[in-house]
Amino acid sequence: MERRTRVRFAPSPTGPLHMGGVRTALYNYLYAKQRGGDFILRIEDTDSHRFVPGAEEYIIEALSWCGIKPDEGVDENGKIVETASEKHPHAPYRQSQRRDIYKQYADRLVASGNAYYAFDSSEELDAKRAECEAAGQTFIYNQKSRMTLRNSLTLPEEETQRLLRETSGWTIRFKMPENTVVRMDDLIRGHVEINTDTLDDKVLWKKADELPTYHLANIVDDHLMEITEVIRGEEWLPSLPLHYLLYEAFGWEDTRPRFAHLPLLLKPVGNGKLSKRDGDKMGFPVFPLNWVNSEGETYHGYREDGYFPGAFVNLLAMLGWNPGTEQEIFTMEQLIESFSIDKVSKAGAKFNPEKARWFNKEYLRATPDEDLAAAFVPVLESKGFSVTAGTTDLHARKVSMEYVRDIISFTKERATFVKDFWTIASCLFVAPEEFEAFGIKAGASVEPKAADNRPKDPRAKEYDDSLTAPFLAKDADKFWKPEIAALVSSVSEYVMAYQGEWTVAAVGESVEDYIRTNGWPMGKVMNAIRLALAGSASGLGIADIITRIGKDETASRIAYALKRLGTQACL
């Protein structure tokens, strides 16, 4: 009878969950769900010296944001389960709370001759390493060196027992068999063989903190929790022979899980594992959520940078896995249906930040306008607008949800993130502002980041993007000419008198016909009008703006531009 599929994600709370860790969790989740099995979250916190406060909570929140929901290990309140129940039969799921379990298994290995007590101090081992280094050799604690060191294999029984009673720095090491070929199978890499003479006697348990190392705890917990497949990062591949031998030493070969070691996530340029420092240097997040470390340094997260969780999951799924088709955009349900471990690559997957943005853009386009409008509301509120069920009054900074949805609908093809809607369409909410009182040249309100760290002009206001700055100097210089200003004024009068259908198509066609009939230069006039309405000569269509802000606001903005810019190229 085939066992029910049970896979686990077992992160260590030594810091925030890197995107590579999320990908490991995702692949485990997809594998389990496709087979109707269970996905278990287990916290491997046996490395007490590297524990980071808040990391465990971060892991759970990150998985939740991604839609990766454990069947076991986490309760409905997002807490690691500590007490066994029908739904969580193997609690506790935090290894530090299972320490009493591991010692008995370590003792079993000693009793069977597969492990031994080692009493070597760190100073003694350092001296041995230095001695070997001086001789041009590498020190390995294995079958060749163990008989020259202080352990239960070389010491009298009485001395061993005394040291066990009276000292606390001893460990239990696995006794690696001599000249034995370990034959292993990996779901991604195929058949692998290695001779034990190249391996060392790993520490399995430490008296100092009475905790196991990863190797023992991982094997024992996977066995007790009935794990059927272990899908983990490539960095654990060198440990696979030891884990195979541990299953054999315990007599658990028949229930040993199958293993798969995932390829590394590589830097965007060149080889090498992607690190958090790469994100700092190149300006993209490597964590799912924002993280502030103990020194107060903040690392950007995909969530806070405006990515959809589905887009983040989609891009991770495609980093190392290929569905074998041209399809690139998947929902979680589609990923579950399509995922196959045998289509995961052996080679490392190079991360492309621009591809990540592309995934988000595609997800944004597929998101219903109503959902995007709801997501945009907090951005509007941060700009001082309230979204109401009533009518839109831009001067009162009140807009209706219908108005917001309309703007989202016709600008979404230009956006990559929800926050982009303000950059793209701020002129549909606010008119170009006044800087004349400060005597600042048009466009000077946009302060570039100075390489020499010169103090910023305190008179200048900040804008999301230079494209949204009112009356950019380069545009005023180029498009606002004395002879064109008069034509813009005439167009304003024409719009105020316009009685035709109030649609983008009708207004746009009518204004263009008016300009064309008068023989005016279409491009120059239209750019000057857009400069007056939006503050720059590029951006949304003029009819798109006019039909939304209305006749009065259109006339008001043009009148202000005529007063502000006059007949000069710029102030």
Side-chain angles (χ1 to χ4, degrees), residues 228-302:
T228 57
E229 280 83 18
V230 172
I231 304 171
R232 58 189 180 185
E234 180 182 284
E235 63 271 22
W236 291 110
L237 189 56
S239 300
L240 187 58
L242 171 61
H243 298 171
Y244 257 69
L245 291 169
L246 281 169
Y247 276 104
E248 183 178 321
F250 283 122
W252 297 338
E253 298 100 318
D254 291 344
T255 57
R256 180 179 60 215
R258 297 191 297 169
F259 291 86
H261 291 85
L262 305 176
L264 294 176
L265 292 189
L266 303 178
K267 302 172 186 289
V269 289
N271 293 322
K273 185 178 179 180
L274 181 69
S275 73
K276 65 181 181 182
R277 298 301 176 192
D278 293 314
D280 294 340
K281 292 174 185 175
M282 303 182 70
F284 58 83
V286 294
F287 299 116
L289 318 177
N290 274 5
W291 172 261
V292 181
N293 66 15
S294 57
E295 286 75 41
E297 297 175 304
T298 299
Y299 296 98
H300 285 268
Y302 279 87

Side-chain angles (χ1 to χ4, degrees), residues 495-516:
V495 170
M496 286 297 293
Y498 176 76
Q499 296 296 317
E501 186 181 3
W502 197 249
T503 64
V504 173
V507 171
E509 183 178 353
S510 183
V511 169
E512 289 184 10
D513 283 346
Y514 177 71
I515 296 171
R516 193 177 295 108

Side-chain angles (χ1 to χ4, degrees), residues 1 8 14 48 56 70 103 162 279 297 505 531 569:
M1 180 178 176
R8 50 76 172 173
T14 55
S48 56
E56 180 182 299
K103 180 57 167 59
R162 184 189 70 79
E297 297 175 304
L531 179 64

